[in-house]
């Protein structure tokens, strides 16, 4: 029995349900954009975690609060990293679909 792939698309608009054809080039750009946004989020959360770690050392009176904030920011960075990983694979799938949709007619789009 073949295992089905289940994708939970939180931020994805299903164009197939609207009846129109899917613009795979647009899909590639969309996932690329979300991947970049996720990367920025991961970097920002990581930087904030390091900032809180520094504050914990500089401000021993509130060290516990800063440690908790550091851990929350670190968890957010990990979550954003997972999102980047997910979007990277969605982009790869969309590129594959684009290539298949173009089939014999080779439309070369260099970006």
């Amino acid at each position: 029995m073949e295992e089905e792939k289940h994708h939970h698309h939180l931020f994805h608009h299903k164009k197939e349900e609207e009846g129109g054809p899917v613009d795979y080039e647009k899909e590639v750009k969309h996932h690329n954009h979300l991947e970049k946004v996720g990367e920025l989020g991961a970097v920002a959360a990581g930087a904030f975690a390091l900032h809180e770690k520094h504050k914990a050392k500089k401000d021993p009176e509130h060290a516990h609060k800063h440690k908790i904030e550091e851990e929350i920011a670190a968890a957010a960075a990990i979550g954003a990293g997972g999102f980047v990983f997910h979007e990277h694979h969605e982009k790869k799938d969309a590129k594959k679909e684009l290539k298949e949709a173009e089939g014999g007619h080779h439309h070369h789009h260099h970006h």
Side-chain angles (χ1 to χ4, degrees), residues 10 12 17 21 29 34 38 41-42 46 49 52 56 60-61 66 69 78 80 89-90 93 96 98 102 108 111:
L10 206 55
H12 306 282
E17 289 166 14
K29 285 179 182 174
L34 289 179
E52 286 299 325
E61 199 181 330
H66 294 303
E69 288 181 358
I78 291 165
H89 285 278
E90 289 291 315
D93 289 348
K96 201 176 117 195
L98 176 62
E102 287 176 349
H108 293 286
H111 298 284

Side-chain angles (χ1 to χ4, degrees), residues 71-89:
E71 287 174 17
I72 291 167
I78 291 165
F83 180 74
V84 169
F85 181 80
H86 167 79
E87 285 304 321
H88 179 74
H89 285 278

Side-chain angles (χ1 to χ4, degrees), residues 36-80:
K36 297 293 177 216
V37 169
E39 286 169 359
L40 286 174
V43 169
F48 189 76
L50 290 174
H51 174 71
E52 286 299 325
K53 186 177 191 144
H54 176 72
K55 271 187 168 179
K57 287 178 188 164
K58 289 281 181 191
D59 181 14
E61 199 181 330
H62 303 106
H64 184 69
K65 174 183 169 271
H66 294 303
K67 272 279 168 209
I68 290 169
E69 288 181 358
E70 176 195 345
E71 287 174 17
I72 291 167
I78 291 165

